[in-house]
Amino acid sequence: KKPSFTLIAVVTLALGIGANTAILRVVNAALIRALPYHNPDRLILLSATTTTGAGRDFMSLDEMREFQTRAQSLEDVTGFISQSVNLTGGERPDRVRGAYVTANFFQVFDLRPVVGRTFAPGEDRPGAEKVVVVNEKIWRERLGGDPKLSGKKLILNGEPFSVIGVVPASFRQPFDSEVEVWTGAATFPGNTAQRDFRFLFGIGHLQPGVGLAQAQAEMSAIANQLALAYQGENAQRGAKVEDFREIIVGGLRRMLYLLFAAVGVILLIACANLANLLLARGLSRQREIAVRAALGAGKWRLIRQLLTEASLLGLAGGGLGLLLAQWGLEALRRLPQNFIRGEEVRVDTSVLLFTMAVAVVTGWLFGLAPAVQLARPELHTVLKEGGRGGGEGAKWNRVRGAFVVTQVALSLLLLVGGGLLIRSFDKLLRVAPGFEPENLLTLEYRLPRNKYQQNEAQWNFHRQVVERIREVPGVKSASLVRGLPFSGNGGSVGLILPDREIPPKGKEPVVRFNTAMPNYFETIGIPLIKGRLFDERDQLNTPRLFLI
């Protein structure tokens, strides 16, 4: 009978329920549902630690094998690292994500190939035949989806690799979901046979019934044994075992719960708003309710009728809210922390049940107070001639006023919180990063080591790249650097000062370092405080210099 009222009520509810459903689906995917891996509740990350014991450090291939052999508290552990690789040999060269892994990598994830096989023992060692496992995307695009892999090769970083297997496209490697090709760990650029050439992290499973503390104690003991056995390379090095799920979602938990609380307040505001609307609409229904009561309808019968109407509004709002939730998810997936994938945030039974429950409970929340108020009509006042409007007394005004106060209070809560967040974000945008990011463009490439083995060849290639980029119309300045700001792609090195006492091996102060060609600081806009910057005098064979 009141289409406009119904439309307002349903849309108001849909906004509140839709926001709650969207956040629940994210919380369900990130914090509740099991990770999409084999035995996710026992999955751990294994890394090395340095003298400080903080952070994570890489392991060498030999160190990884020691832990694989000695660890009794771990059911399995495999080494892995991701890095972009050059894929050539087709119509065009491509830059794709690759991973260098130990031979048991796919066994740890209990992943069976779609075609062919995965790595065999020994195929991750130096000197072994170069083989590669690809995902379905590369298989179809580069190999035409041919199930016969015999003789199929891919050129990675200028070297031929025999394709031995294809894994499902649904597999997403931890920490790098874009990996498309996997090769043996020994093919990683550099001398992987050296014990102190470290480039791998470990991932594996705890033994059933083994706790994280027990595994940590054993890994620390193994690290101490290695430090005694290899005092030069493994001095002052430890090991760290971490729960994989906590690494993935630990930093997001507080943010997600905060979002969940915020949208919960939005739903409460919607309920208070609708309760007030029902109270206002109830003024025009007092005579109807009084007639029902006069004809014998009891108080609870009237309350049930009014709550049924409110529940229908709630269910209608919940149905529309599901559609709005899908749109909200598209916005959430664009957050800076891209911690969920589209296929993970699906509408499953738990989400549907939650939405239905929220819709019904919401209907009761905003319908209960008006129902109780209307179910106590003053029959004599309402039914007598001229009694219309008798319900506009002090009690109705007090109830409606309480809902208005509640709405305003909750709205102010959200507005103040939102204002603080906006102000914090504005301050973050104003923080000077130490360089000028405006109009800076970056590109990445990697030289194949088999073609550029000599330092002089590498230097000449880099220099020619910079020179040709500078000739591109619109380019004002260009240079090369090993690691871009905030990328974490620099390095670390022990620092020994000549006028200080030389510290014991493994206890040197460690500093972060980067390498750059002339004109880097001018290009990126880092000012000089004292001394001079790199320039054309600094070539391959000139004395080594550094800036701090």
Side-chain angles (χ1 to χ4, degrees), residues 349-544:
T349 304
S350 61
V351 173
L352 283 174
L353 290 176
F354 171 82
T355 305
M356 291 179 61
V358 168
V360 174
V361 171
T362 300
W364 293 347
L365 280 175
F366 71 75
L368 184 59
V372 171
Q373 197 74 12
L374 281 170
R376 297 181 299 180
E378 298 176 5
L379 297 181
H380 177 72
T381 304
V382 175
L383 292 177
K384 72 178 182 179
E385 187 70 24
R388 191 184 305 272
E392 296 180 348
K395 65 174 184 177
W396 283 79
N397 290 331
R398 283 196 300 270
V399 175
R400 295 171 64 187
F403 281 121
V404 170
V405 170
T406 301
Q407 274 185 273
V408 173
L410 292 174
S411 299
L412 281 175
L413 174 67
L414 283 183
L415 285 172
V416 171
L420 290 173
L421 286 174
I422 291 173
R423 190 174 70 173
S424 298
F425 184 65
D426 180 65
K427 287 184 176 181
L428 285 175
L429 292 178
R430 295 175 186 273
V431 170
F435 64 96
E436 298 295 335
E438 295 296 326
N439 299 318
L440 276 181
L441 302 180
T442 69
L443 64 90
E444 179 187 2
Y445 66 87
R446 199 176 307 278
L447 297 184
R449 60 179 177 175
N450 63 328
K451 293 181 62 177
Y452 298 89
Q453 297 180 1
Q454 302 300 321
N455 290 338
E456 186 175 357
Q458 297 175 19
W459 173 265
N460 288 333
F461 184 93
H462 295 322
R463 183 172 49 81
Q464 291 175 35
V465 166
V466 173
E467 289 175 355
R468 295 183 63 177
I469 289 177
R470 288 172 179 168
E471 296 173 357
V472 175
V475 173
K476 178 181 178 182
S477 180
S479 184
L480 260 68
V481 66
R482 173 179 174 176
L484 293 170
F486 306 118
S487 69
N489 288 334
S492 59
V493 65
L495 177 68
I496 299 177
L497 300 177
D499 57 343
R500 305 285 181 88
E501 181 181 351
I502 298 178
K505 177 70 174 178
K507 290 190 175 181
E508 307 95 337
V510 176
V511 296
R512 299 286 297 173
F513 80 93
N514 207 347
T515 55
M517 292 186 70
N519 204 44
Y520 167 69
F521 295 97
E522 295 90 337
T523 299
I524 201 170
I526 296 178
L528 176 68
I529 296 177
K530 189 175 183 180
R532 73 172 180 88
L533 301 174
F534 298 137
D535 56 32
E536 297 305 325
R537 291 173 289 177
D538 305 310
Q539 298 295 322
L540 182 64
N541 298 319
T542 56
R544 296 183 180 181

Side-chain angles (χ1 to χ4, degrees), residues 17-312:
I17 294 175
N20 277 268
T21 302
I23 294 298
L24 175 76
R25 288 165 68 178
V26 174
V27 171
N28 185 42
L31 303 181
I32 301 175
R33 188 185 301 157
L35 296 171
Y37 299 114
H38 175 61
N39 290 330
D41 55 320
R42 294 191 280 121
L43 201 61
I44 57 94
L45 181 74
L46 175 65
S47 61
T49 60
T50 54
T51 52
T52 61
R56 306 183 188 103
D57 195 17
F58 295 108
M59 290 184 177
S60 67
L61 189 53
D62 283 343
E63 287 174 335
M64 183 60 62
R65 290 200 183 99
E66 297 277 7
F67 282 94
Q68 288 175 328
T69 303
R70 301 188 188 198
Q72 300 298 312
S73 59
L74 300 184
E75 183 177 75
D76 49 35
V77 63
T78 184
F80 74 102
I81 190 65
S82 301
Q83 189 179 90
S84 297
V85 297
N86 300 325
L87 175 58
T88 56
E91 296 179 357
R92 69 184 190 282
D94 278 329
R95 190 87 174 138
V96 300
R97 293 298 293 173
Y100 301 85
V101 300
T102 55
N104 64 333
F105 179 80
F106 293 106
Q107 283 74 27
V108 166
F109 293 99
D110 194 28
L111 191 67
R112 291 173 173 79
V114 176
V115 178
R117 63 176 179 86
T118 55
F119 299 110
E123 288 184 329
D124 58 347
R125 296 179 179 273
E129 180 187 359
K130 291 181 172 61
V131 294
V132 61
V133 175
V134 303
N135 72 354
E136 288 182 288
K137 178 175 179 288
I138 295 292
W139 177 52
R140 298 187 188 283
E141 290 181 356
R142 289 281 181 165
L143 305 175
D146 188 352
K148 296 180 181 179
L149 299 179
S150 178
K152 303 290 185 182
K153 291 185 179 295
L154 292 178
I155 309 299
L156 303 176
N157 290 340
E159 300 183 67
F161 284 74
S162 299
V163 181
I164 60 172
V166 181
V167 295
S170 58
F171 175 65
R172 297 291 188 270
Q173 179 177 299
F175 303 115
D176 195 340
S177 62
E178 304 300 322
V179 171
E180 296 176 328
V181 296
W182 292 262
T183 66
T187 62
F188 185 82
N191 190 355
T192 58
Q194 288 184 347
R195 190 171 192 86
D196 58 355
F197 184 80
R198 300 181 174 98
F199 62 101
L200 293 172
F201 285 123
I203 193 168
H205 293 91
L206 296 171
Q207 291 281 8
V210 174
L212 201 64
Q214 181 180 345
Q216 178 62 66
E218 186 191 21
M219 298 307 109
S220 297
I222 294 174
N224 291 335
Q225 295 168 10
L226 295 178
L228 291 174
Y230 306 96
Q231 297 184 14
E233 298 88 346
N234 284 81
Q236 304 297 323
R237 286 178 63 79
K240 179 188 288 189
V241 182
E242 300 173 86
D243 180 81
F244 181 76
R245 183 182 189 88
E246 190 62 25
I247 295 173
I248 296 298
V249 304
L252 301 170
R253 186 175 287 112
R254 182 177 297 180
M255 181 188 75
L256 291 179
Y257 286 154
L258 180 64
L259 282 173
F260 208 11
V263 296
V265 173
I266 292 175
L267 186 58
L268 289 177
I269 294 174
C271 289
N273 186 34
L274 287 174
N276 235 343
L277 289 175
L278 286 176
L279 281 172
R281 183 168 177 259
L283 291 174
S284 64
R285 300 185 64 186
Q286 287 185 91
R287 190 173 184 85
E288 169 203 339
I289 299 300
V291 170
R292 291 178 183 274
L295 292 175
K299 176 181 177 181
W300 293 111
R301 180 65 177 269
L302 292 173
I303 290 177
R304 286 202 307 272
Q305 174 198 337
L306 296 170
L307 285 181
T308 300
E309 296 175 4
S311 298
L312 288 174

